[in-house]
Amino acid sequence: MSERRLPPGQYVPSGWPAVHYGPVPRFRPQRWDLQVYGATANAVRHRWDWAEFQELPKVDVVADFHCVTRFTVTDVRWRGVAAATLVELAPPAEEATHVMVWAEYGYSANMRMSDFLRPDVLLATHRDGEPLEPEHGFPVRLVVPHLYAWKSVKWVRAIEYLTADRRGFWEERGYHNRADPWAEQRYSYQEDPGDGPPLD
Ligand SMILES: Nc1nc2c(c(=O)[nH]1)N[C@H]1C(S)=C(S)[C@@H](COP(=O)(O)O)O[C@H]1N2
Ligand SMILES: [Mo]
């Protein structure tokens, strides 16, 4: 067995914990849509219903998944729509620098546009060949392997393009704005000036 490189302070658990704040939303296919809005080119609001979303081209990504509560799930095989594909279909305005990813019930996470555009970031529909389980984000979740997993928003419903950074749900409740697990950016008190908008 080869030695695996884990980010500092992480361990590999048995199984896959489900971690979220609040209840698991029920999927209503007739009412589901995915929207891209905010600082889009020409201020257009983009929308895909469930049938349209399923027609989008998909990719496979294998990646580790690092939760700030210190577990790392290794070699997860995801399938879904690359975030970069979505951005291509819903072009941002030139001034767009960050995105806010929105879930059912108002959960949100922010990140730089450059983080969102990394080739292994995707809107996943499947894990290890199976549709996501409800508690892991069915029907669609974001996966951002290079940042702590609270940025991997489950039950995604919208992407908002931002012209200035704004904190999401955990980023305004004490977690680090950038959340790089290799730099162990866990908490907002560790932020350097410029890592995020001021906290009040
Ligand atoms: N909508 C939503 N997405 C969420 C959360 C949440 O509370 N709500 N929790 C995040 C956190 S803290 C983690 S660690 C991962 C856990 O994903 P998993 O339950 O599939 O392991 O989901 C993230 N995505
Ligand atoms: Mo987490």
Side-chain angles (χ1 to χ4, degrees):
M1 218 174 76
S2 68
E3 192 81 340
R4 169 175 293 277
R5 211 157 82 85
L6 287 179
Q10 297 294 111
Y11 72 96
V12 178
S14 60
W16 182 314
V19 183
H20 48 265
Y21 181 84
V24 174
R26 192 159 81 88
F27 174 50
R28 295 177 182 80
Q30 313 83 335
R31 290 178 43 185
W32 188 93
D33 65 3
L34 181 78
Q35 299 203 12
V36 179
Y37 67 97
T40 60
N42 306 313
V44 178
R45 182 180 281 257
H46 300 263
R47 178 183 179 274
W48 293 265
D49 65 20
W50 179 236
E52 291 165 340
F53 184 80
Q54 285 175 290
E55 295 304 312
L56 297 178
K58 290 188 172 169
V59 295
D60 291 290
V61 166
V62 176
D64 295 349
F65 187 79
H66 311 294
C67 175
V68 73
T69 64
R70 299 183 183 274
F71 70 82
T72 288
V73 185
T74 57
D75 291 323
V76 188
R77 189 160 55 89
W78 303 101
R79 182 167 180 75
V81 178
T85 299
L86 210 71
V87 172
E88 220 171 273
L89 296 170
E94 259 173 45
E95 312 81 63
T97 56
H98 292 76
V99 303
M100 187 73 78
V101 181
W102 290 100
E104 305 277 1
Y105 300 144
Y107 183 91
S108 61
N110 59 311
M111 68 201 69
R112 300 171 181 166
M113 182 66 85
S114 56
D115 282 322
F116 190 65
L117 287 173
R118 290 265 286 247
D120 56 355
V121 174
L122 74 168
L123 289 118
T125 54
H126 290 72
R127 196 233 310 178
D128 295 328
E130 300 288 336
L132 296 175
E133 292 158 49
E135 67 269 27
H136 288 294
F138 180 81
V140 179
R141 78 171 303 161
L142 188 70
V143 175
V144 189
H146 69 287
L147 299 177
Y148 280 125
W150 80 79
K151 304 275 194 186
S152 289
V153 175
K154 302 193 274 192
W155 314 298
V156 176
R157 291 294 304 276
I159 313 295
E160 180 186 359
Y161 294 158
L162 307 177
T163 56
D165 198 6
R166 208 168 77 214
R167 290 174 187 272
F169 182 86
W170 285 121
E171 294 81 3
E172 60 181 17
R173 289 172 175 78
Y175 285 92
H176 197 287
N177 192 59
R178 176 87 205 298
D180 177 355
W182 299 97
E184 227 178 333
Q185 295 175 333
R186 298 178 187 274
Y187 307 111
S188 53
Y189 66 73
Q190 301 171 306
E191 288 176 18
D192 290 321
D195 278 344
L199 274 160
D200 38 37

